[in-house]
Amino acid sequence: MNTINIKESKNIKLMNRIDKKYVIDFNQFCLLSDYIVNNYYIVVDDSNKFLLSYKSIYFDTANLDMYNDHKLNVENRQKLRIREYENGDQFLEIKTKSDNKTKKIRVNLDLYNIDHYMCWINDNLNYAYSAITPVLEINFKRLTLINKEKNSRITIDFGISFKNYNTNINKKIKEIVIEVKKSDESYITSFEKKLSSLNIEESKFSKYYIGINSTLKK
């Protein structure tokens, strides 16, 4: 297994990128396992651990405008979240989707206290700070891959669980979410070609969309 340390992998940030999402089951992942081991660097931490814990807290308006923008495929739609990594690093992030491209900006976060970042949020988010509230928590384990050319990143998320702060509904799904992240839309990665050969088609749904959709009161 070829590995790359997480510190080195951070040089491949792809903050302005094309995202391709796929939802698969465990049997489909097994069909990919040999291909992954033979063709990709697997990101590991300093203890050589490669399946790392992630936590995200997503914010939205009372009417779930950001969720609905995603549902309706609105141009220049956004997400606001706190992202916490296994090593304790925390960031406040805004992701903007436009022309099939995703732009991510972020700042280091101090103890989940986003009040200190009101001006930053108002300057960069389409919605006022006063209109947003935390709505969904997502926990998962992530396997991160870097291609041999070091110009694309693949993330594979397992054990995804959701907690909806408004409905108090918790949900865990068996599905595995893959994201292919690259800088050039015209460049078809070998991973995309492999998925296509297994008849695995692109999905338009993010974990945030899946999480809200599966935890709303019916």
Side-chain angles (χ1 to χ4, degrees):
M1 183 173 73
N2 298 308
T3 62
I4 182 172
N5 187 272
I6 193 169
K7 295 184 179 69
E8 184 180 352
S9 74
K10 288 180 179 179
N11 295 326
I12 312 165
K13 293 181 179 179
L14 296 174
M15 301 293 274
N16 296 291
R17 65 194 187 217
I18 305 295
D19 286 339
K20 301 287 186 180
K21 297 180 176 67
Y22 303 83
V23 179
I24 65 172
D25 59 31
F26 183 73
N27 289 332
Q28 288 172 312
F29 173 74
C30 290
L31 295 175
L32 288 166
S33 58
D34 285 344
Y35 171 77
I36 288 170
V37 170
N38 292 326
N39 292 277
Y40 283 84
Y41 295 108
I42 296 176
V43 175
V44 296
D45 66 7
D46 290 338
S47 61
N48 281 326
K49 186 177 180 181
F50 57 83
L51 201 58
L52 303 177
S53 297
Y54 283 67
K55 177 180 178 180
S56 297
I57 296 176
Y58 283 85
F59 296 76
D60 211 328
T61 65
N63 294 323
L64 296 178
D65 290 306
M66 286 183 251
Y67 164 77
N68 287 310
D69 283 351
H70 187 103
K71 184 177 181 179
L72 297 173
N73 200 31
V74 171
E75 191 71 7
N76 292 316
R77 59 188 181 272
Q78 292 184 306
K79 295 174 193 166
L80 173 66
R81 74 184 182 197
I82 292 170
R83 166 61 59 82
E84 181 178 337
Y85 297 88
E86 181 160 312
N87 66 359
D89 287 348
Q90 300 167 3
F91 295 92
L92 183 64
E93 302 180 339
I94 294 175
K95 297 176 72 176
T96 303
K97 188 71 172 287
S98 177
D99 296 326
N100 291 324
K101 292 184 178 180
T102 300
K103 179 181 179 181
K104 182 169 77 172
I105 59 174
R106 67 184 189 178
V107 291
N108 285 297
L109 185 65
D110 179 24
L111 300 176
Y112 286 178
N113 188 352
I114 70 167
D115 292 340
H116 296 305
Y117 306 95
M118 179 176 64
C119 292
W120 184 81
I121 291 171
N122 283 332
D123 287 344
N124 293 287
L125 193 70
N126 293 336
Y127 301 95
Y129 172 82
S130 58
I132 60 170
T133 185
V135 295
L136 186 74
E137 179 180 318
I138 307 177
N139 290 277
F140 55 94
K141 300 283 188 178
R142 170 166 286 183
L143 175 68
T144 301
L145 313 174
I146 304 292
N147 68 342
K148 296 296 179 64
E149 296 76 20
K150 298 184 179 180
N151 61 3
S152 70
R153 176 190 294 262
I154 293 92
T155 58
I156 306 176
D157 297 338
F158 304 83
I160 303 168
S161 64
F162 306 108
K163 179 180 180 180
N164 190 310
Y165 293 151
N166 293 327
T167 65
N168 290 318
I169 293 175
N170 296 289
K171 178 83 171 182
K172 187 170 184 178
I173 62 172
K174 295 181 179 179
E175 288 83 359
I176 298 165
V177 176
I178 296 175
E179 292 186 42
V180 178
K181 305 168 185 181
K182 57 186 183 178
S183 58
D184 185 356
E185 187 170 16
S186 64
Y187 168 54
I188 308 300
T189 66
S190 60
F191 203 92
E192 291 170 272
K193 293 175 183 177
K194 180 64 176 179
L195 292 172
S196 179
S197 74
L198 296 174
N199 297 314
I200 298 172
E201 298 182 352
E202 182 183 356
S203 170
K204 297 296 184 181
F205 300 129
S206 68
K207 288 191 294 299
Y208 177 60
Y209 177 88
I210 295 170
I212 290 292
N213 194 54
S214 63
T215 57
L216 288 174
K217 289 183 177 178
K218 305 300 182 183

